[in-house]
Amino acid sequence: MAKWMPAFVLLFNIIVLNAQTGKGIISGTVIDATTNQVLVGANILIEGTLKGAATNEDGIFVIQSVNAGYYSIVVRYIGYSSQKIANVIVRPGRNTSFTVKLLPEIIESDEIEVTAGYFSESEKQVTSAVNFSYEEIRRAPGSAGDVSRIMFSLPSIAKVNDQRNSLIVRGGSPSENAFLVDNIEIPNINHFPVQGTSGGPIGLINVDFIQDVNFYSGGFSPEYGDKLSSVMFINFREGSQQKYDAQLDMNMSGFGGVFEGPVGNNGNILLSVRRSYLDVLTDMFDTGSSVAPTYGDYQGKYTLSIDRNNKLSVIAIWSDDHANSDADNASENDMLYYGKQDILVGTTGFNWLSLWSKNGYSESSVSWTVSDYREDFYETGTNNLLIKNQSVESGINFRNTNTYRFNKYHTLNFGMELKYLSSDYNNVYGSTVDPLGNSVAEVKIKNDIYGNKIGVFANYKLYPVESLELNIGIRGDYFSFNRNYYLSPRFAAKYAIYPTLSIYGSVGVFTQSLPLVLLTQDDKFRKLDDPRALHYIIGIGKILGEATKLTLEAYYKDYFEMPVSPEQPGLFLTDEIFYNKAFYTNHANIKNNGKAKSYGVELMLQKKLAKDFYGTISGSYFRSKYTGYDGVERNRVFDNQYMFSIEGGYKPNNSWDFSFRWIYAGGVPYTPFNYSESKNANSGIMDKNKINSERYPDYHSLNIRADKRFNFSNSSLILYLSIWNVYNRENVASYYWNKEKNETDTEYQWGMLPIFGIEYEF
């Protein structure tokens, strides 16, 4: 290390000596949040300066020659709630562009600007909504640029395991979450996805594409269906219309680049390619381990402004993942299983935004998705086959949403979704012993599934009086494979006691079809009903200042018609994904009499980066339980009971940014082994009389991060260092049966993990 220090110091000095304050551009579009109509003549001001601009006849503004740094932007338009945008980064020689959505003023008050402030109200969501900007996602400690991991600090997300970014929302499971990018549904946004769920270990979405993210943890609009717990709506930004820009970046997980720029007079493009390099390091340093996982992703967006009323965008998000572990490596690293994975997943689609009048618009998207799994897993020690998964899941999706505002007191949102699903399964589930010690015979599945899903929805928003907002909606869903049809009514209301204080609530029915990889395993499963849930939510929101907001919410979720098995009457099928790492059952008699419930209280205090400090403090108390086939109520495996997190940062100047995140959560339930039976069988056999009766130790971990930005005349360099689990807490991931020792052993979550990264923008 010492021989490299002089060269490192020289490089650092060259960077510092050549650093200077360059200039960049701020541009964007201001539109009506309800109708998507451009707002002509809106005023945009860079707070603390005399620089500003007004939108032209196309709703576009451009502010030239802005010194590199970070700013707050104020946007005002007569008849609309003013909005402030925090932490807008201006980079030398580059254009920082974004879209601002303003809501019409409903309550006439001198305090309305304070009410808006830095917190933009979602026009589609009354309850359980939170928004994250690109910069908030990029700099979050412990996220490593993973849009899912930043959600871990929210009070609605259970804390289970560092190794996976699965979202466990208000007592749900990893299969209950929807992801949409620019009105196009993405089945899973992770590398090495777990089939049938939305989880995985490593995020797929490139955060440099993101403009902002809206996350709905319950009570969401009937516009979104076929999910029981949450919706994440990701808005991709457009590529630069001013000039060609590029970016190179490298961190622990891989290296890649982003390219963007204009295409013709009315189009622009945004492209990204990334690849991991762990395999290169493994070969270079001859670690002696098996081949390291390799993965890459390819993302792009093309936008074409056809005319003032029509815009077409095309997106593509693809990943290619490979892993190969052998028996020797699995034994050395106390892995329960080993094998080979080759997974290709991707989505390509286009979205057409059409403004039909000054009061209405529609968005229509068509997309194609495919998930190709080639997986073989074997049990460590015995080398017995666990699963051979040779399957392809694909679909063609059409999604149409329409909004028409009759006046500022009445708005109708309606539309439909059509999906054609085609899946080919050629799988083998090896003979094994289930978690309770029962012998299970080998199961072979060779089956093709075709089916259509149809969803229609409508939501009517009205203001009977200026302070009261009501949302009355309904959704209908039909799946041709099992001929199930459901209606899901939903209702939400919000009352502004003062412009800075509101109470709100919602109630609704939510339905989700079972994963195809489960339905294909037995013809009798066609007769299964779809799981459903009732959401009840009530909350209060208080604006404490233009950059600070406090929310308190209570919720109750009632699940019914959940799948359970008479062969494992005490277990809960949808949670078995946590143990099996795959959605298969080896059961032939699944029933629909399972129930579950979750309830809790959540508190969150948010402060945006108005000046030097920003942060979020959140806490929750919740319970999540299920009733199995035997009628006994037990804890679900994701039931932390309580969680507290504090995340924040300090930005002393344009060059430095320091941030941290500390999370404390109760231990999740687990079932202890029946020691004598496990010892005799040399296999982990759960004690069927103590299912989920014990808990792992409480979880806590501190992540920190420091960013240093160097600005040059026409480029910038960002160096950052993030340390996960700073004090090296040994958080337990699981207790497992070590077959080589024939005794219980412990698997731990990640220890202290430093992550260094570099980004060069030019």
Side-chain angles (χ1 to χ4, degrees), residues 33 103 120-126 129 214 216 461 469 494:
L103 282 168
S120 60
E121 300 290 340
S122 171
E123 71 278 11
K124 295 181 180 179
Q125 186 77 12
V126 171
N214 291 302
Y216 310 136
K461 178 191 292 187
E469 175 188 339
K494 181 177 181 180

Side-chain angles (χ1 to χ4, degrees), residues 88 95 168 265 355 373 415 485 613 655 666:
V88 175
N95 174 36
I168 313 300
N265 295 326
L355 310 180
Y373 295 88
Y485 176 78
F613 295 92
S655 299

Side-chain angles (χ1 to χ4, degrees), residues 32 45 100 205 423 437 497 511 513 529 559 672:
D32 184 308
L45 176 68
V100 182
I205 301 294
S423 298
I497 302 173
T511 304
S513 58
D529 293 326
Y559 291 84

Side-chain angles (χ1 to χ4, degrees), residues 13 33 44 48 107 134 149 249 286 327 415 504 666 762:
N13 287 333
I44 297 90
I107 304 173
Y134 152 73
R149 289 184 185 273
D249 56 76
D286 191 21
Y504 51 82
F762 58 95

Side-chain angles (χ1 to χ4, degrees), residues 699-717:
Y699 171 98
H700 54 90
S701 177
L702 173 66
N703 301 326
I704 63 174
R705 173 168 169 153
D707 290 59
K708 172 64 176 175
R709 179 182 289 268
F710 300 93
N711 291 321
F712 309 106
S713 58
N714 287 296
S715 62
S716 60
L717 178 70

Side-chain angles (χ1 to χ4, degrees), residues 333-398:
N333 292 279
D334 293 329
M335 297 164 58
L336 300 180
Y337 55 90
Y338 66 92
K340 183 178 180 181
Q341 284 182 290
D342 296 294
I343 303 175
L344 175 69
V345 300
T347 299
T348 299
F350 70 83
N351 186 56
W352 173 33
L353 171 63
S354 178
L355 310 180
W356 356 301
S357 71
K358 65 178 182 179
N359 293 326
Y361 76 97
S362 64
E363 281 193 272
S364 302
S365 66
V366 175
S367 61
W368 174 63
T369 64
V370 64
S371 301
D372 189 340
Y373 295 88
R374 297 290 182 266
E375 300 176 302
D376 298 278
F377 291 112
Y378 300 87
E379 185 179 42
T380 303
T382 66
N383 298 325
N384 292 333
L385 175 68
L386 292 177
I387 179 173
K388 183 179 182 65
N389 181 12
Q390 309 287 311
S391 61
V392 179
E393 299 175 336
S394 63
I396 299 175
N397 306 327
F398 171 76

Side-chain angles (χ1 to χ4, degrees), residues 71 131 175 180 233-234 453 562 657 706 731:
Y71 301 92
N131 174 272
S175 62
L180 291 96
F233 197 103
I234 302 172
K453 286 187 176 182
M562 302 295 290
D657 192 336
N731 290 302

Side-chain angles (χ1 to χ4, degrees), residues 521-715:
Q521 294 175 25
D522 196 297
D523 285 340
K524 294 193 297 291
F525 294 172
R526 287 176 180 263
K527 299 179 181 180
L528 292 174
D529 293 326
D530 292 350
R532 287 186 282 173
L534 281 168
H535 292 200
Y536 305 91
I537 302 169
I538 188 169
I540 185 169
K542 171 65 175 174
I543 300 294
L544 303 177
E546 63 177 8
T548 307
K549 181 180 180 180
L550 177 69
T551 58
L552 175 66
E553 287 193 1
Y555 69 89
Y556 185 93
K557 289 170 69 176
D558 187 14
Y559 291 84
F560 52 100
E561 296 183 354
M562 302 295 290
V564 289
S565 171
E567 294 156 303
Q568 293 180 344
L571 300 183
F572 201 52
L573 184 60
T574 55
D575 288 351
E576 288 307 288
I577 186 68
F578 182 71
Y579 297 110
N580 295 330
K581 309 293 190 297
F583 229 123
Y584 65 95
T585 67
N586 288 358
H587 301 310
N589 296 296
I590 294 178
K591 306 298 181 181
N592 271 123
N593 64 339
K595 297 180 181 180
K597 64 181 179 182
S598 62
Y599 52 89
V601 179
E602 302 171 353
L603 179 70
M604 184 162 64
L605 178 67
Q606 295 174 274
K607 185 184 183 303
K608 298 285 187 177
L609 180 60
K611 291 184 180 179
D612 302 330
F613 295 92
Y614 59 90
T616 300
I617 299 175
S618 67
S620 62
Y621 173 79
F622 61 96
R623 297 306 310 271
S624 178
K625 297 176 177 293
Y626 74 91
T627 301
Y629 184 81
D630 58 6
V632 178
E633 185 177 78
R634 299 179 176 89
N635 298 318
R636 293 188 70 173
V637 295
F638 308 116
D639 178 41
N640 287 109
Q641 295 187 97
Y642 50 85
M643 192 188 80
F644 175 81
S645 73
I646 178 169
E647 176 178 327
Y650 173 58
K651 197 172 180 68
N653 52 48
N654 288 327
S655 299
W656 285 98
D657 192 336
F658 303 95
S659 57
F660 73 98
R661 180 170 73 187
W662 185 70
I663 295 178
Y664 191 100
V668 294
Y670 75 95
T671 304
F673 294 120
N674 184 313
Y675 193 81
S676 60
E677 290 187 19
S678 299
K679 195 77 174 177
N680 291 334
N682 192 16
S683 179
I685 298 175
M686 294 179 179
D687 188 335
K688 64 181 66 178
N689 297 316
K690 297 180 180 180
I691 294 174
N692 290 349
S693 63
E694 299 190 13
R695 291 183 177 272
Y696 291 116
D698 288 356
Y699 171 98
H700 54 90
S701 177
L702 173 66
N703 301 326
I704 63 174
R705 173 168 169 153
D707 290 59
K708 172 64 176 175
R709 179 182 289 268
F710 300 93
N711 291 321
F712 309 106
S713 58
N714 287 296
S715 62

